[in-house]
Amino acid sequence: MISRADDFKTLFSNIAIDNEATISSRYGEVTRACNLQFRETDSRTANSLQVGSYGRWTGIRGISDLDMLYIMPSGKWEKYKDKPYQLLRDTADAIQARYTSTTVYVDTLVVVCQYQNFKIEVQPVFEDEEGFWYPYTKGQGCYRVTKPRPELATTQQVNTDKNGNLRRLAKMTRAWKNKHGVGMGGLLIDTLAHNFLVSRTEYDKTALNSCGQMMRDFLSFLSEEPKKDRYAALGSGQHVKVHKAFQSKAKKGLALADKALEAGEDAKANNRWRKLFGRTYPASAATEVKKAQLTEAGYTADNTEEFIEDLFPVDIRYSLRLECEIKQSGFRTVLLRAMRGVGARRPNVYKSKSLRFYIEKENIKGIYHVYWKVLNRGPEAIRRDIIRGQIVPDSGNKTKRETSDFRGEHVVDCYAVQDGVVVAKDRIHVPIVDESEK
């Protein structure tokens, strides 16, 4: 019998970065271009430092925002000390000259190299005893300090002290946030995972067999955290911004983890863990997770559901919130989420209503494209053979219109795709009932 430890081993295998060779090659290309420009050497590794989630080895499959420091020769300081934008411009020009087909542009404090499904943000820096000084070009321009070496060293040390559990926990948390659209940055996740583990000893020696309980306890830890605007990063103590509160989604994740742990080694536990982590958690041998057909009381329906991770890499970095406007001629227009806020634990939607789904809030930087998924669940959806679940592009106004035709549980997903990567998502449940069920 396959144990839960084996299942978590499979999870880590499934979420492992699958394009490391390509990423490494691109890092090498960028490093070589900078070395040729600033040092007259063609080394593909010297003078660059991989930082961020990839550098801390806490990233997972779908990682799309990669960070690199290029360490400038100290002799160039006099040339660039008063010209931070010029340093970024010269770095961008050097990379573009060597790799003409690559999209390269200057952002506020980095040079962005855009590749298919991921980008490398290159930061030319000068290093001294305080850390790395990087160009910041807002306003009149200046240099600011960053300290990634202590972050890298602390991640390595605590991970070793905790028997590999820091990186395991950080990767599981990324799988959870990608599944549930939690807009948490990588350094924030790693910092919170670090704070959790150093505050207790029960996971000092455990391994794969404790991953489920560890994730459950961490979600409890997150749900109980006081709301803050920022944290002190692991190792460096630098500010890490909290762009969106994570406590409520952690509380929902905690409920899912509790249900999964209650199932123990039973086959149904796999489906419960999959609700927490997504399809990268293995299905049980006794369960066909994706049947070609669904059955109910002698009726069959084609399972037409599609999954966004089969179409795009998923790397949630921003938050997005859906709302549903419910309207019918002669009746007051109401909002589905707002109905929950006035005491209705599970507000129902009655048949023959007009539904308009729209993005109520988002904090996405830059241009993005919207995709929708409408999934029908329940006996009537099977009887009518209308499961739907196909993923379709938005018509152009970031709105999806539907009607409440038949009873059952209906789910609407919205995905924001930027540069070929899903960077934000949200889901809203629409329970439709008959008027007789009032």
Side-chain angles (χ1 to χ4, degrees), residues 38 280 337:
F38 298 113
T280 50
R337 290 196 190 274

Side-chain angles (χ1 to χ4, degrees), residues 60-61 174-181 314-316 425:
I60 64 171
R61 183 172 186 166
R174 283 168 170 79
W176 163 69
K177 67 104 174 171
N178 284 346
K179 166 64 176 173
H180 296 278
V314 179
D315 184 14
I316 302 301
K425 59 188 284 195

Side-chain angles (χ1 to χ4, degrees), residues 176 312 412:
W176 163 69
F312 303 101
V412 176

Side-chain angles (χ1 to χ4, degrees), residues 13-78:
S13 176
N14 288 342
I15 65 176
I17 296 173
D18 60 342
N19 59 341
E20 280 195 282
T22 300
I23 290 173
S24 180
S25 174
R26 299 296 182 263
Y27 268 124
E29 291 171 1
V30 172
T31 301
R32 180 174 181 270
C34 292
N35 275 328
L36 286 167
Q37 173 69 17
F38 298 113
R39 294 180 181 269
E40 297 184 353
T41 174
D42 64 354
S43 173
R44 298 172 62 88
T45 57
N47 310 308
S48 72
L49 183 64
Q50 296 173 6
V51 293
S53 298
Y54 192 79
R56 294 189 298 273
W57 297 6
T58 54
I60 64 171
R61 183 172 186 166
I63 186 171
S64 62
D65 201 352
L66 301 156
D67 302 306
M68 168 187 152
L69 301 186
Y70 178 75
I71 305 169
M72 292 287 295
S74 59
K76 300 287 186 181
W77 174 246
E78 286 299 318

Side-chain angles (χ1 to χ4, degrees), residues 13 16 112 115 150 154 159 164 197 203 206 222 234 252 260 269 286 302 322 328 340 349 378 427:
S13 176
V112 179
Y115 302 100
T154 298
N159 189 65
L197 287 173
Y203 299 111
T206 60
L222 291 180
L234 76 168
K252 293 177 182 178
D302 290 333
L322 275 183
Q328 185 178 14
R340 294 172 180 159
V349 177
R427 163 175 288 190

Side-chain angles (χ1 to χ4, degrees), residues 89-134:
R89 183 71 267 161
D90 289 352
T91 302
D93 289 346
I95 298 169
Q96 190 72 83
R98 292 284 169 181
Y99 305 102
T100 56
S101 62
T102 301
T103 299
V104 181
Y105 59 92
V106 173
D107 205 340
T108 306
L109 44 82
V110 295
V111 173
V112 179
C113 302
Q114 183 67 58
Y115 302 100
Q116 184 176 8
N117 298 334
F118 70 89
K119 62 184 177 182
I120 296 177
E121 295 188 344
V122 186
Q123 202 165 53
V125 295
F126 292 92
E127 186 175 17
D128 64 15
E129 64 279 359
E130 290 188 57
F132 295 102
W133 293 90
Y134 64 90

